[in-house]
Amino acid sequence: MADATEAGKMVAARRAVDENIKKGQVVGIGSGSTIIFAVERIGERNKKEALNLTCIPTSFQARQLIQDHGLTLGSLETSPEIDVAIDGADEVDDNLYLIKGGGGCLMQEKIIASCAKSFFIIADTRKNSKVLGTSWKKGVPIEVLPMAYRPVQLKINQLLGGKAELRMASRKAGPVVTDNGNFILDWVFDGAQDWPAVERTIRDVPGVVETGLFLNMAAAAYFGTADGNVLVRTSKQ
Ligand SMILES: O=C(CO)[C@H](O)[C@H](O)COP(=O)(O)O
């Protein structure tokens, strides 16, 4: 099963890279386990085709991946406009609404996606859902200022129901600390939601820095299966 999932991630990543990355572009590089296959493919092509890309990372992990594959590392300061961004997702629904941030990198991922002319999602087929929350049961990640995590937690519970849980680290005592020095709450919800309304409600709580809801951002999602097939779903808009 694990190998089948990895195979699905790989075919989706390679196809998205081959269809969307062109010479001379500024490319946003997402975070997680699926993006590793995409950067490997970009590195492979770069050796053959001298792609001359500038790659903008969404995390510490992405920065290392870019450098490990001999690609040129850029920043939003020098390249504020991105041609294409590629990233993974935790779940994708029928509207191409996404839950992201399972790896805790949601804030920089959303900024990079917002600067990109086109934003593509790569995932294994498990992530392809009709309704968010069908396969991803860990909730919507919410990045919060550490000093505000407790009131934010209470307010979200009151406003939306469900439960906003402080994400704890697994190999360190205490909470997960993001690349931006913040904490993460995972809002575990029940049933179908009005996602634009949920996004507005969460963002309006002082202390919230960003949410892992990416609405109306992705142009297409590539879902790979172990047998090498890739389903491409494009935005309806
Ligand atoms: O949003 C993310 C990290 O913040 C990842 O893109 C998301 O969690 C998917 O990760 P993976 O490719 O490992 O399934």
Side-chain angles (χ1 to χ4, degrees), residues 9-45:
K9 292 178 187 180
M10 186 174 76
V11 288
R14 293 177 76 88
R15 170 101 172 257
V17 165
D18 289 353
E19 285 188 2
N20 300 293
I21 305 291
K22 313 229 167 8
K23 280 188 180 183
Q25 286 178 327
V26 177
V27 179
I29 301 292
S31 305
S33 56
T34 315
I35 198 67
I36 295 171
F37 294 109
V39 180
E40 277 172 7
R41 178 61 182 155
I42 294 172
E44 210 175 279
R45 280 187 53 198

Side-chain angles (χ1 to χ4, degrees), residues 163-179:
K163 196 157 188 251
E165 291 165 357
L166 181 63
R167 192 183 295 183
M168 302 305 284
S170 56
R171 296 191 63 199
K172 163 200 167 275
V176 166
V177 178
T178 70
D179 287 358

Side-chain angles (χ1 to χ4, degrees), residues 9 31-35 87-90 100-106 109 127:
K9 292 178 187 180
S31 305
S33 56
T34 315
I35 198 67
D87 205 343
D90 299 306
K100 285 188 49 54
C105 308
L106 56 148
E109 290 175 336
K127 313 280 186 71

Side-chain angles (χ1 to χ4, degrees), residues 87-125:
D87 205 343
D90 299 306
E91 196 169 21
V92 183
D93 80 0
D94 228 14
N95 299 307
L96 286 194
Y97 289 174
L98 321 172
I99 294 180
K100 285 188 49 54
C105 308
L106 56 148
M107 183 164 140
Q108 294 187 39
E109 290 175 336
K110 201 184 262 190
I111 294 169
I112 296 296
S114 77
C115 296
K117 289 182 195 126
S118 309
F119 175 47
F120 297 103
I121 290 301
I122 50 177
D124 62 88
T125 195

